[in-house]
């Protein structure tokens, strides 16, 4: 395997790994390691080119720094991408060679599941490195997606309470863009609480399932943002709030699981100016990595995790209140609070 460190200003360590024998072409990006070793998932995606992969892993790893800090776990921000098509190129050899790449960083980075990587894949990666998590060990830890869904559900509740005065999601209308691992379970939780669902996905089978199980109404993916609902919940890929789509947004709340929901940073201010309450993505979707963090620390319990997930509601409510008081957008407030948490961690070290 070949490895090459890439000089990236403002990032702790970014390394490109290639292995001709296994086809590995991966980047591990550690944005910050102030609070502890970096922790964040590994994404397998057929990026158009190396630059696109580098841009994605940089942004995602930076997001993890903020997510872990506000999630209250002693980890820095990191992420990995493997440039490949998970449906065609994923082999045990490829996964093991990625595991060797992780191992070569000697504990600077812990990996876990992200798009294109399953719990079974993580087990394969774990066979060559102990720095792999998100693996169920007799009811402890495991695949983070269901926990992420639960945290997002608590976040939607917090946003609906703050913006609509709704004490529950009964009768609250939510459009979920992307009913995959996180979005489908989110749909179940909202449906069981009496919420009304609109769903969209490029995968028709997933749309059909959500309509059958939750009585959801289906719309085309490009129309989800324009659905006449209270909450728009982006749960597919990033960038769904952008300069071309924002004028079509009808919901008064944006609260979903996707990372990097705002395509550009100015969308934060833009949403604020329109009176739309945005639940910052890395706050609302942190439950999965919180579970992974507790698993790595060896302190995972169902009760302990539930309490942490409930805290997402408190953290978001604080952000919403501070945004109202300071008349500043919620994303900017979350960044300030995350930087405060990192500074406190630095002082305590
Ligand atoms: P997933 O791959 O299981 O689900 C994504 C869904 O979005 C799929 O059903 C896919 O068909 C659909 N989709 C993809 N492109 C689309 C498009 N252009 N239009 C409509 N639908 C589209 O992934 P997931 O694990 O559910 O994660 C969803 C999002 O949440 C991702 O952005 C991920 O980074 C983020 N996230 C996930 C976790 C987790 O624990 N899984 C944690 C934090 C953040």
């Amino acid at each position: 395997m070949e490895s090459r460190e890439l000089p990236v200003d403002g990032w702790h360590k970014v390394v490109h790994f290639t292995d001709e024998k296994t086809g590995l072409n991966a980047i591990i990006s550690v944005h910050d390691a102030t609070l502890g070793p970096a922790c964040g998932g590994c994404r397998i995606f057929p990026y158009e080119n190396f630059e696109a992969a580098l841009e994605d892993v940089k942004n995602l790893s930076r997001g993890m720094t903020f997510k872990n800090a506000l999630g209250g776990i002693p980890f820095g921000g990191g992420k990995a991408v493997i440039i490949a098509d998970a449906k065609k190129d994923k082999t045990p050899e490829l996964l093991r060679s990625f595991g060797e790449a992780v191992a070569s960083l000697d504990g600077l980075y812990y990996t876990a599941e992200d798009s294109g990587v399953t719990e079974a894949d993580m087990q394969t990666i774990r066979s060559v490195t102990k720095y792999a998590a998100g693996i169920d060990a007799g009811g402890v830890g495991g695949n983070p997606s269901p926990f992420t869904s639960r945290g997002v559900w608590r976040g939607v509740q917090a946003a609906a309470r703050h913006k609509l005065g709704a004490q529950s999601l009964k009768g609250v209308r939510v459009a979920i863009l992307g009913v995959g691992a996180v979005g489908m379970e989110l749909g179940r939780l909202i449906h069981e609480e009496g919420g009304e669902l609109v769903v969209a996905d490029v995968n028709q089978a997933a749309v059909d399932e959500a309509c059958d199980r939750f009585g959801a109404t289906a719309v085309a993916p490009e129309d989800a943002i324009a659905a006449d609902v209270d909450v728009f919940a982006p749960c597919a890929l990033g960038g769904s709030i952008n300069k071309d789509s924002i004028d079509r947004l009808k919901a008064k709340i944006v609260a979903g699981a996707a990372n990097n929901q705002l395509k550009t940073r100015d969308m934060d201010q833009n949403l604020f100016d329109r009176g739309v309450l945005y639940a910052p993505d890395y706050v609302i979707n942190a439950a999965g990595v919180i579970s992974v963090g507790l698993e790595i620390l060896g302190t995972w319990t169902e009760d302990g995790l539930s309490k942490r997930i409930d805290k997402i509601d408190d953290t978001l409510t604080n952000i919403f209140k501070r945004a109202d008081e300071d008349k500043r957008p919620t994303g900017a407030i979350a960044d300030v609070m995350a930087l405060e948490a990192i500074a406190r961690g630095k002082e305590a070290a």
Side-chain angles (χ1 to χ4, degrees):
M1 176 172 344
E2 307 256 322
S3 70
R4 184 170 61 100
E5 189 165 344
L6 309 172
V8 182
D9 239 13
W11 269 250
H12 183 81
K13 192 171 198 155
V14 181
V15 188
H16 181 206
F17 295 90
T18 49
D19 189 335
E20 262 183 35
K21 280 205 302 288
T22 62
L24 181 73
N25 185 10
I27 310 169
I28 297 179
S29 171
V30 173
H31 171 255
D32 190 90
T34 305
L35 296 181
C39 177
C42 168
R43 174 173 292 190
I44 301 184
F45 191 77
Y47 293 95
E48 254 175 44
N49 51 45
F50 179 78
E51 282 65 37
L54 180 60
E55 197 54 27
D56 202 31
V57 78
K58 273 172 51 188
N59 287 336
L60 289 165
S61 60
R62 183 179 178 279
M64 292 310 298
T65 298
F66 288 77
K67 186 187 302 201
N68 293 343
L70 270 193
I73 54 171
F75 291 93
K79 202 91 183 183
V81 296
I82 301 177
I83 306 170
D85 185 335
K87 289 200 184 84
K88 292 200 308 241
D89 310 325
K90 195 164 70 177
T91 61
E93 293 73 30
L94 178 82
L95 294 169
R96 279 195 292 271
S97 86
F98 171 69
E100 279 159 19
V102 172
S104 74
L105 296 179
D106 281 331
L108 175 65
Y109 166 68
Y110 279 88
T111 196
E113 295 91 340
D114 196 82
S115 276
V117 178
T118 65
E119 189 169 343
D121 298 336
M122 238 346 109
Q123 262 157 351
T124 307
I125 294 167
R126 169 75 77 77
S127 68
V128 291
T129 179
K130 61 182 177 186
Y131 303 114
I135 300 168
D136 183 355
V140 170
N143 175 12
S145 296
F147 308 122
T148 303
S149 305
R150 212 167 176 83
V152 175
W153 172 56
R154 302 291 281 128
V156 173
Q157 288 174 330
R161 197 183 322 115
H162 189 82
K163 186 74 188 174
L164 313 171
Q167 292 311 311
S168 90
L169 296 182
K170 190 164 192 307
V172 173
R173 297 162 304 160
V174 183
I176 303 179
L177 174 62
V179 269
V182 178
M184 188 69 83
E185 175 64 4
L186 173 66
R188 183 186 73 79
L189 292 164
I190 292 172
H191 171 65
E192 286 185 358
E193 206 185 340
E196 291 167 24
L197 292 169
V198 170
V199 295
D201 199 296
V202 287
N203 176 357
Q204 189 56 43
V207 171
D208 292 345
E209 183 184 335
C211 292
D212 279 358
R213 288 175 59 194
F214 318 135
T217 305
V219 294
E222 61 277 17
D223 292 333
I225 195 163
D228 188 13
V229 291
D230 304 299
V231 182
F232 175 53
C235 296
L237 299 178
S240 55
I241 307 286
N242 56 57
K243 66 175 176 34
D244 301 317
S245 68
I246 197 164
D247 284 338
R248 299 180 66 223
L249 178 69
K250 284 212 189 76
K252 282 289 168 212
I253 294 169
V254 173
N259 283 313
N260 301 330
Q261 291 167 31
L262 310 185
K263 178 128 188 167
T264 50
R265 294 190 141 235
D266 56 320
M267 289 297 123
D268 188 29
Q269 183 71 47
N270 198 323
L271 287 172
F272 182 77
D273 293 344
R274 288 164 192 257
V276 175
L277 183 66
Y278 165 57
D281 48 8
Y282 63 75
V283 183
I284 191 171
N285 71 15
V289 79
I290 293 172
S291 171
V292 166
L294 298 180
E295 188 185 317
I296 295 167
L297 295 169
T299 56
W300 195 101
T301 61
E302 206 171 321
D303 191 43
L305 180 62
S306 278
K307 290 201 173 95
R308 297 278 196 140
I309 292 177
D310 288 346
K311 270 200 85 183
I312 291 177
D313 182 326
D314 299 341
T315 308
L316 281 171
T317 302
N318 284 339
I319 291 169
F320 297 154
K321 285 186 181 154
R322 204 161 146 182
D324 289 347
E325 281 159 20
D326 296 0
K327 299 196 174 21
R328 289 184 66 200
T330 50
I333 297 291
D335 284 359
V336 169
M337 286 171 61
L339 290 170
E340 287 169 356
I342 293 168
R344 279 196 302 276
K346 211 179 238 169
E347 262 171 38

